[in-house]
Amino acid sequence: MQQSVYVSITGLQVRRVWHIPTFWSHAIKSMVQARNAPGNISADARTINGVHHTLSVWTDKDAMRAYLTTGPHLEAMRLFPSIATGKVVGYQTDRIPDWSEINAIWRDHGRNV
């Protein structure tokens, strides 16, 4: 059995076409931050059915929260309501989901942000 990890899944949609450059600027900076954050095991992003998803895996929820509330990601969260909509889901697990499962997990268990 694999060691327990904390999985975070986001799915975001840009509100207007003119928000796309700002969205991607913040998304790229946040991804770089996540990949370099203490406790991060992996971080990746894909667009599925027009929704921009991230899948990040952390040693624990505290490590993910430390990332979430600092640096470029904090800046992105402050701007988010004006440029995008979406849902997030995070949970402790012994199994990292495959990308083929991400959209369904997000759709069925995500909370609106």
Side-chain angles (χ1 to χ4, degrees), residues 61-97:
K61 187 175 184 177
D62 289 341
M64 188 278 302
R65 285 214 177 271
Y67 152 75
L68 186 76
T69 58
T70 61
H73 190 272
L74 179 59
E75 292 175 31
M77 285 184 8
R78 287 180 177 150
L79 182 63
F80 172 78
S82 65
I83 67 168
T85 63
K87 297 195 296 187
V88 298
V89 60
Y91 58 96
Q92 198 75 30
T93 184
D94 292 336
R95 189 183 76 74
I96 298 169

Side-chain angles (χ1 to χ4, degrees), residues 20-92:
I20 291 172
T22 302
F23 174 85
W24 280 111
S25 173
H26 285 277
I28 291 166
K29 291 174 190 173
S30 294
M31 182 60 69
V32 169
Q33 178 192 0
R35 289 180 175 162
N36 291 309
N40 179 263
I41 296 169
S42 66
D44 197 9
R46 294 189 186 175
T47 301
I48 303 169
N49 299 330
V51 178
H52 306 290
H53 286 284
T54 64
L55 167 61
S56 59
V57 181
W58 303 85
T59 54
D60 54 50
K61 187 175 184 177
D62 289 341
M64 188 278 302
R65 285 214 177 271
Y67 152 75
L68 186 76
T69 58
T70 61
H73 190 272
L74 179 59
E75 292 175 31
M77 285 184 8
R78 287 180 177 150
L79 182 63
F80 172 78
S82 65
I83 67 168
T85 63
K87 297 195 296 187
V88 298
V89 60
Y91 58 96
Q92 198 75 30

